[in-house]
């Protein structure tokens, strides 16, 4: 057995392959591969501590990965079946080395990770919160029509800058008053927000190694303004349609746009061989007949 600290430029494919190989939706044993890659390549992710993420190997085979997402004090564990005996070592490493600023460190554990929960409990951690992230099983059918006055944008015609603008407002940035002055945008990519946002916004124009943005869905109104975006990470080895992100412009919500976008995802991805599609914990997904997915729990140490 040996360990290695994560290095972004050399290990992102290694982590992807490991998480694809060990993905087990039915037994809820950890995050899917797109979860980590989407985060590590996104503008909202603080990657400055990624060298603390650690891989465990048995020979040349990756058998465990301890890593954070957002915030950096949220710690995750993916472990290959048969290597549950590493639980104590993994938890000890997380406590001693992973970010824990201001006593904010917490473990995000899943239904099939009782061995990690037991190791955490022995060290004074307790479950403080839980929720379910729902999944749509393609044995069911998703069929919501697109409302009048809107249309799907052809994949070949999707404008990445217009998508960026939609996502900026769709995720509430404009509502907080700290937003990009999109009217002053020009083709040099010289954004005009506060300086602290300039580089992070530019990052979203760079595709990730396992990008499958050809399956993204964009809905526009009659003025060709983008109003709804539903991203898609296609993982054929897992028959997984990993939907991320999903947003609707505030001025166009409650009209059924997201439901229509997910329905188109269902049709396209099922035809490719997908068996299920991710969603989230919002009641919105329950209304679309999403069902059992991932049972997520938050564990904190008593003295945090």
């Amino acid at each position: 057995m040996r360990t290695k600290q994560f290095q972004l430029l050399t290990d992102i494919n290694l982590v992807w392959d490991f998480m694809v190989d060990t993905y087990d939706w039915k037994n809820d044993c950890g995050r899917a591969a797109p979860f980590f890659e989407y985060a590590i390549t996104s503008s909202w992710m603080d990657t400055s501590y990624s060298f603390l993420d650690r891989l465990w190997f048995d020979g040349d085979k990756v058998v465990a990965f301890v890593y954070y997402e957002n915030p950096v004090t949220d710690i995750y564990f993916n472990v290959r079946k048969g290597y549950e005996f590493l639980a104590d070592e993994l938890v000890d490493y997380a406590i001693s080395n992973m970010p824990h600023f201001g006593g904010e460190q917490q473990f995000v554990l899943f239904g099939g990770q009782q061995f990690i929960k037991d190791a955490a409990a022995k060290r004074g951690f307790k479950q403080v919160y839980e929720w379910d992230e729902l999944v749509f099983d393609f044995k069911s059918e998703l069929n919501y029509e697109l409302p009048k006055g809107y249309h799907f944008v052809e994949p070949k015609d999707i404008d990445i800058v217009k998508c960026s603008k939609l996502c900026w407002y769709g995720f509430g940035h404009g509502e907080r008053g700290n937003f990009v002055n999109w009217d002053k945008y020009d083709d040099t990519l010289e954004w005009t927000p506060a300086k602290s946002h300039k580089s992070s916004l530019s990052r979203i124009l760079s595709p990730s190694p396992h990008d499958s943005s050809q399956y993204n869905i964009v809905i526009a109104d009659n003025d060709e303004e983008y109003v709804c975006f539903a991203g898609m990470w296609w993982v054929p080895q897992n028959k997984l349609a990993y939907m991320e992100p999903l947003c609707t412009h505030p001025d166009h919500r409650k009209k059924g746009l997201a439901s229509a976008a997910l329905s188109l995802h269902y049709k396209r991805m099922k035809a490719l061989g997908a068996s299920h599609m991710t969603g989230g914990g919002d009641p919105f997904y329950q209304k679309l007949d999403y069902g059992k997915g991932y049972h997520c729990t938050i564990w904190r140490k008593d003295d945090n």
Side-chain angles (χ1 to χ4, degrees):
M1 300 288 294
R2 62 184 177 91
T3 64
K4 179 185 184 299
Q5 301 306 119
F6 174 76
Q7 295 174 286
L8 178 59
L9 296 181
T10 60
D11 295 334
I12 194 166
N13 288 326
L14 187 69
V15 170
W16 176 275
D17 291 343
F18 163 65
M19 295 178 82
V20 167
D21 193 35
T22 58
Y23 178 70
D24 190 354
W25 162 42
K26 294 294 186 180
N27 290 309
D28 196 9
C29 290
R31 287 298 193 184
F35 175 82
F36 180 75
E37 187 165 306
Y38 172 63
I40 206 81
T41 58
S42 294
S43 61
W44 46 262
M45 178 70 171
D46 181 354
T47 61
S48 59
Y49 300 97
S50 62
F51 67 94
L52 296 175
D53 295 343
R54 177 175 282 191
L55 293 150
W56 273 254
F57 292 82
D58 184 354
D60 294 330
K61 179 172 63 177
V62 179
V63 297
F65 185 42
V66 176
Y67 59 102
Y68 70 85
E69 197 228 20
N70 183 53
V72 299
T73 48
D74 276 10
I75 313 303
Y76 295 78
F77 303 79
N78 275 51
V79 183
R80 188 181 295 275
K81 187 175 181 181
Y83 290 84
E84 294 85 355
F85 64 87
L86 289 173
D88 288 328
E89 182 178 342
L90 303 178
V91 170
D92 283 341
Y93 175 78
I95 294 171
S96 300
N97 296 281
M98 298 299 284
H100 55 273
F101 311 118
E104 292 298 315
Q105 187 185 76
Q106 57 188 20
F107 297 165
V108 185
L109 306 177
F110 300 92
Q113 295 187 320
Q114 188 61 48
F115 59 103
I116 299 290
K117 295 177 183 178
D118 291 343
K122 287 190 296 185
R123 289 155 178 80
F125 282 74
K126 291 185 178 180
Q127 181 179 315
V128 297
Y129 188 70
E130 62 183 329
W131 77 98
D132 288 302
E133 293 184 359
L134 304 180
V135 166
F136 189 81
D137 191 327
F138 281 8
K139 293 177 181 177
S140 300
E141 183 177 359
L142 197 56
N143 187 25
Y144 289 84
E145 297 295 328
L146 189 63
K148 292 183 179 179
Y150 298 94
H151 61 275
F152 293 111
V153 179
E154 289 295 322
K156 64 181 178 60
D157 297 328
I158 291 177
D159 185 324
I160 184 61
V161 175
K162 291 173 71 172
C163 279
S164 300
K165 178 179 178 180
L166 165 61
C167 289
W168 184 253
Y169 289 104
F171 286 107
H173 296 287
E175 295 172 340
R176 292 197 295 269
N178 188 9
F179 57 89
V180 178
N181 186 348
W182 292 96
D183 294 334
K184 294 183 180 180
Y185 167 77
D186 62 44
D187 291 335
T188 65
L189 293 184
E190 287 295 324
W191 313 98
T192 55
K195 291 182 180 179
S196 61
H197 292 289
K198 182 174 179 179
S199 61
S200 64
L201 277 172
S202 299
R203 282 180 60 194
I204 62 178
L205 299 178
S206 301
S208 64
H210 298 93
D211 170 75
S212 56
S213 57
Q214 66 270 30
Y215 302 116
N216 290 348
I217 289 174
V218 173
I219 298 174
D221 63 14
N222 286 336
D223 295 322
E224 296 304 324
E225 289 294 325
Y226 289 4
V227 297
C228 183
F229 177 81
M232 178 53 61
W233 297 71
W234 169 224
V235 189
Q237 302 95 319
N238 300 145
K239 298 183 178 180
L240 168 64
Y242 191 92
M243 190 281 300
E244 186 73 44
L246 174 65
C247 70
T248 303
H249 191 285
D251 294 342
H252 298 268
R253 292 174 182 165
K254 307 296 183 182
K255 297 182 179 181
L257 297 176
S259 300
L262 294 180
S263 295
L264 183 54
H265 268 324
Y266 161 78
K267 295 172 185 175
R268 287 179 175 175
M269 305 317 293
K270 185 173 183 178
L272 291 175
S275 64
H276 59 297
M277 177 168 61
T278 59
D282 192 280
F284 160 75
Y285 294 101
Q286 290 180 316
K287 296 177 182 178
L288 299 188
D289 201 28
Y290 272 66
K292 185 180 182 299
Y294 315 101
H295 185 67
C296 313
T297 61
I298 298 291
W299 290 66
R300 279 179 165 267
K301 205 167 185 179
D302 283 346
D303 58 1
N304 281 359

